[in-house]
Amino acid sequence: MKSVTVSSYPRRLYLALTILVAATLACGTVTPQPSPTKTSTPTPKVGVPVFGVTCDPVPLEMIHGETKTIAIADTGGEGKVTEFKVGTIAGTASDPAASEISVSQQPAPGDSGWSTLPGTITVVSTAVDGPERTETYFINILVGGRQGDDHITGGNIWCQVNVKHIVPTATFTLTPTATITLTKTKPPFIVTGSGYRIQYTGPFEAQMGGTLAASFQVFDARNQPAMGLFSASLGDPPTDHNASHASGQLDQLGMITLMLDVNWPPGVTKLFFNFDGETFEVGEIIINP
């Protein structure tokens, strides 16, 4: 009978597998670590009443260069707080420092900085410029009540302001018209072909490198305050690279003040405006060195 030789290869394979399993059990199971979670920045709860006190409107919508107000009142009638004052102001977009608006409270605050309810917050958009965008601001209003000289109730409400910056669409191509023949004694009104009466209230001088705060008031043919987009240009001609332009919406009284950069050298240049599709020359502006 022939003897059968058993190969050692299966034994070596079995031994290797045994060692691998033992090593795995010794190391234990690796538990994956959870990925860190990001902490989100809380968003102000705009328009939420605190002790019945709210801001109105929410949000306040305005065009650059305008002045508008927010009412602060105990609309819930809880009677727990009687005073308020402006706290912090946070900007977004390209104006995080809120440097393009100014905010004040009425009635006039006392020595402690608090005003009595009800009152208003006045917001002035001080920057009239492009590009087209909307700047959003959050105004923190502190509210409190008094008993003697001590506050017994306090809280915070948030008001939101959206300032829309627009780019003038008007072109300053002058069209001759017989209704605006200007003389050295400037007429009180300039009358457009549509019957609008525009009055420029000055000033007629500006500082080189400064700003001309050009103020206008517009009435329609029925002698009522007009509405609509109003544009102005400082420099002759308005297409010159030194000319500056600004625009905005007329307020409820048909008034507007446009802030025009004075890029013109010392001497005399001209001021123009555009309204209802027509462009007119206001007159000469003296540029001081």
Side-chain angles (χ1 to χ4, degrees):
M1 173 182 293
K2 295 182 178 180
S3 60
V4 179
T5 301
V6 180
S7 173
S8 63
Y9 176 75
R11 291 192 183 93
R12 291 197 299 272
L13 177 60
Y14 176 78
L15 180 59
L17 291 175
T18 301
I19 294 172
L20 178 62
V21 170
T24 302
L25 292 176
C27 293
T29 303
V30 178
T31 303
Q33 296 298 319
S35 56
T37 58
K38 296 182 179 179
T39 302
S40 59
T41 302
T43 301
K45 296 181 179 180
V46 177
V48 177
V50 174
F51 299 112
V53 178
T54 59
C55 46
D56 180 39
V58 178
L60 173 66
E61 303 285 352
M62 56 193 302
I63 303 294
H64 59 177
E66 287 187 328
T67 298
K68 289 193 174 183
T69 59
I70 302 172
I72 307 296
D74 183 5
T75 57
E78 297 186 16
K80 294 182 179 180
V81 295
T82 57
E83 297 177 310
F84 73 98
K85 72 175 180 178
V86 176
T88 58
I89 304 173
T92 59
S94 61
D95 188 24
S99 60
E100 297 180 357
I101 63 170
S102 65
V103 177
S104 60
Q105 63 192 62
Q106 293 81 32
D111 294 338
S112 61
W114 292 79
S115 298
T116 56
L117 282 172
T120 58
I121 301 296
T122 299
V123 182
V124 181
S125 171
T126 57
V128 180
D129 56 16
E132 185 170 325
R133 67 193 187 280
T134 297
E135 303 284 359
T136 297
Y137 302 93
F138 297 102
I139 304 175
N140 186 354
I141 307 297
L142 310 180
V143 294
R146 282 185 178 273
Q147 184 178 27
D149 293 330
D150 298 325
H151 283 74
I152 60 173
T153 301
N156 304 73
I157 61 175
W158 290 90
C159 303
Q160 180 177 337
V161 178
N162 296 330
V163 180
K164 184 176 181 181
H165 291 250
I166 59 177
V167 177
T169 57
T171 58
F172 285 86
T173 302
L174 297 179
T175 302
T177 173
T179 60
I180 57 163
T181 302
L182 298 180
T183 63
K184 291 183 178 180
T185 57
K186 298 176 176 62
F189 290 97
I190 295 173
V191 182
T192 72
S194 301
Y196 289 100
R197 295 186 302 136
I198 292 92
Q199 183 179 34
Y200 177 64
T201 57
F204 289 93
E205 294 186 26
Q207 189 82 24
M208 179 185 175
T211 303
L212 176 69
S215 297
F216 298 84
Q217 187 168 23
V218 185
F219 296 93
D220 61 20
R222 299 173 298 168
N223 202 32
Q224 298 298 312
M227 299 178 63
L229 179 68
F230 193 95
S231 304
S233 176
L234 177 65
D236 183 25
T239 54
D240 190 281
H241 70 281
N242 285 326
S244 57
H245 312 280
S247 67
Q249 295 288 333
L250 297 172
D251 64 15
Q252 294 179 348
L253 298 178
M255 301 177 67
I256 190 171
T257 297
L258 297 176
M259 309 303 290
L260 293 161
D261 294 334
V262 182
N263 305 321
W264 215 260
V268 177
T269 189
K270 293 181 179 180
L271 177 66
F272 303 90
F273 72 83
N274 183 285
F275 182 70
D276 194 40
E278 296 183 86
T279 301
F280 301 93
E281 175 187 322
V282 175
E284 295 181 341
I285 303 296
I286 299 174
I287 308 299
N288 297 315

